[in-house]
Amino acid sequence: MKRDESPTARALLLLELVQNSPGITAERLAGRLGVSERAARRYVGILREAGIPVESERGPYGGYRIGRGLRLPPLMFTQAEALGLVMAVLDGRHDSADPADPVGGALGKILRVLPEAVAGQAEAVRSMSARHPEPGARTPGPETVAVLVQACAAHRRLRLGYRIRPGDERDMEVDPWAVVVRRGRWYLLCWSHTKNARRVLRVDKVAGAEVLDVPAVPPADLDPARVLEDHLSAGWRHEVEVVVDAPAEAVTEWVPRSLGRPEPIDAHRTRLVGSTDEPEWYARQLTAIRAPFRIVGPPELREAVEALGRRLLQAGA
């Protein structure tokens, strides 16, 4: 730590230390700040004069902690914590009960300074939600997301290490266009110079990212959400065609774009064109259609729909 830092700067650093380590002693504070214990206590006094409730307890287990007041004292988040909170809001989940996780650490700071009545309820919600994580969810690290988002904003090319599968990592250079969150999954839309094609990459599979000093301009008419939905609906093993006895506008409301592309046949019928690797899963999604429909292909999807129908009839019987 620099010896020429101002008293205000040292007081704010002390505030962060107390927030991160409730119960920290004056001796430890002095060691972390590089000052005497008397000076550390003086910085505590500066915070108290500013209206920040810094409480102290005497004895072998005593120390400083932030008390609960009517006003929220200043909170200092690291870059990972700040971005982690944004990510948690976007995908609706995170390791919020783990203090080692960026979101868990940031939420812990907030909970420690909220009034007791509010903090108790919030802590109960946090601990309960942590017991029921989303199955199969893989949220990428905030540091990785930060690099990708900044490269998109600065229009700079990226060199990525990408895990195709466990034990198979490949290098690629891409022009990043946008980072998109869909149902808890994080995707990078980009142009791959390695494949000379548009790619949609899973951010949780990015093992490393380096920003290059090379311009990377996205398409002028880019619609990130539409590009992602188009990608997810095409290119799978089984080509799907379903004829629905309803107008295309109605089919669009019932079926997400990632399931297929609605093509009007006439004013009363629509052809749904898509693809899938999982006919059984696709059959379950078709139950959202509130009109008669017919499976043109593939045979695997017809069989999956028939099997699902038999199970539903048996359940009703």
Side-chain angles (χ1 to χ4, degrees), residues 109-125:
K109 292 178 181 179
I110 295 174
L111 290 175
R112 283 194 291 270
V113 296
L114 288 175
E116 183 66 45
V118 179
Q121 297 179 27
E123 181 61 53
V125 171

Side-chain angles (χ1 to χ4, degrees), residues 128-235:
M128 181 61 86
S129 64
R131 297 173 196 163
H132 304 284
E134 182 180 337
R138 295 180 182 177
T139 302
E143 297 81 0
T144 299
V145 174
V147 173
L148 302 185
V149 170
Q150 289 167 2
C152 292
H155 302 310
R156 286 291 179 269
R157 186 172 298 177
L158 286 167
R159 179 178 293 119
L160 302 178
Y162 193 71
R163 291 186 293 268
I164 305 298
R165 61 185 63 86
D168 184 5
E169 182 177 319
R170 303 178 187 179
D171 293 331
M172 60 176 67
E173 288 194 8
V174 303
D175 288 350
W177 294 348
V179 174
V180 182
V181 186
R182 181 184 181 277
R183 297 182 181 178
R185 300 292 185 185
W186 293 72
Y187 300 92
L188 173 67
L189 311 185
C190 61
W191 179 268
S192 171
H193 290 276
T194 306
K195 295 292 186 180
N196 196 32
R198 185 185 72 186
R199 286 291 183 266
V200 176
L201 306 178
R202 285 262 300 272
V203 177
D204 61 289
K205 292 187 176 183
V206 174
E210 177 188 356
V211 181
L212 306 178
D213 191 19
V214 180
V217 181
D221 57 348
L222 177 67
D223 183 342
R226 184 58 181 265
V227 170
L228 178 60
E229 296 292 347
D230 287 344
H231 171 82
L232 294 177
S233 68

